[in-house]
Amino acid sequence: MPNPTPAVADALFELWVEDLGGSLDVAQEKLAEFVAASGVGSRPTYRANLVFEELVTNALKYGEMSGFRHGEPPRVGCTVRVTPTELVLEFRDRGRPFDPSVAPPPRRATTIDEATVGGLGLELVRKVASAIDYRREELWNVTRVHLLLVPD
Amino acid sequence: MEIQIDTSDPELRRVRLVGRLDSAGVGKVDLRFLASTAGAGIHSIVDLSQVAFVASLGIRMLVDAGRTLSAKGRKLVLVVPEGLVAETLRDGGIDQLITMVATDGEAVAYLAAA
C-alpha cells in the first residue's frame, strides 16, 4: 500500500516551550493542529505528539539548562517538517549534552511488583521513530526524530 | 482530562478516564485516580476507551496503581480497545504487567476467574 501523500508537502513549523504548564499545553495544541492540517493521518499525528511530549518534558525536567543568560527562561525549540515520506521533528535545547539515541533502554520488569517506569519516555520515542539523529552545536543539543508516514 | 469514579460496588471499583493522559492530564487526575484505585484496595477496572492519548507519565500513573493493588493482593485491569493508545501501552510493555482487555465484560470475567 503506498504511503499517504500529505496535503502540504515540505511544510515547516516552529515553536518554543518554556515550561511544563500552559506553555506545553499550548504548544501541543499548535503542533497537533499543524500536523493534522498537513494531512498525514492519525497515526503520524499521534506519534508526533508523543515524541514532542516525551522529549520536551525530558529536556525541561532533567536537562539542567545552564546555557541561558540570567533571567532568561529555559526553553526547548521544536521545528517540524512534513515531507511526502516522513515527518521530522528537530528539538533544540541548551541543557547538558544528552544523546537520546544512545541512552540505555530501561530495565523491563517481568511482574507488576517490580515495575518502574524510569526511562520509559525515551523507549516510547525509540519505538515509534524510524531514526533518531543527535548532534551538539556549541551549547545546543540538537535532536532530530524521523517518523515514517505509514497508512493508518 | 476527566475522571469518573463508580463506587456503587463495594468489591469492585470502576474508573473511567476521559481525555489525554499526558503530563497536563495526569496532573489533573492523578491524586483522585490513585486514591480511588490503589487507595481503595479493591479490584479495579480502569476504562481507557475514552482516552485519546497516553504518554509515559500516564503509564507511570497506571503502573503505580497496579503495583500498589498487587501488594494488597488485588488486581487492576485496563479496558483498552484496539487503537493508538493500546499500541502505546504495548510499546511500553504494560501489557506484560497489567491485564489489558477490550471490553468491560472481559474485565469482569477476568476478575471473576482470578
Side-chain angles (χ1 to χ4, degrees), chain B residues 6-20:
Chain B
D6 179 351
T7 60
S8 58
D9 186 337
E11 296 182 0
L12 175 65
R13 182 58 39 87
R14 280 191 167 86
V15 177
R16 172 175 289 160
L17 296 170
V18 181
R20 289 172 60 88

Side-chain angles (χ1 to χ4, degrees), chain A:
Chain A
M1 187 181 295
N3 286 334
T5 302
V8 183
D10 292 323
L12 196 62
F13 175 69
E14 183 180 51
L15 48 79
W16 288 89
V17 183
E18 295 180 350
D19 61 70
L20 293 173
S23 176
L24 178 58
D25 272 1
V26 170
Q28 281 278 29
E29 285 176 21
K30 288 181 177 173
L31 174 71
E33 283 173 17
F34 169 77
V35 175
S38 299
V40 298
S42 59
R43 177 169 274 104
T45 300
Y46 182 98
R47 289 179 167 179
N49 270 273
L50 182 64
V51 168
F52 185 83
E53 162 91 11
E54 301 297 350
L55 292 189
V56 169
T57 302
N58 260 10
L60 288 173
K61 270 188 170 177
Y62 310 117
E64 298 169 19
M65 293 193 210
S66 56
F68 289 92
R69 287 188 294 271
H70 181 68
E72 189 179 3
R75 55 184 188 158
V76 182
C78 180
T79 304
V80 186
R81 179 183 291 277
V82 183
T83 79
T85 57
E86 65 176 0
L87 210 160
V88 183
L89 294 94
E90 183 175 283
F91 297 87
R92 303 176 70 87
D93 71 77
R94 294 179 80 166
R96 62 180 167 81
F98 178 69
D99 181 353
S101 67
V102 297
R107 188 181 63 86
R108 280 287 174 101
T110 54
T111 69
I112 187 68
D113 302 304
E114 61 181 26
T116 59
V117 289
L120 182 60
L122 284 181
E123 181 72 357
L124 293 177
V125 171
R126 281 193 286 255
K127 284 277 187 181
V128 300
S130 57
I132 301 174
D133 309 317
Y134 170 83
R135 64 184 188 275
R136 186 76 176 174
E137 284 184 359
E138 298 182 348
L139 292 175
W140 293 89
N141 289 310
V142 182
T143 303
R144 190 176 283 186
V145 179
H146 300 256
L147 303 174
L148 285 179
L149 296 184
V150 294
D152 285 337

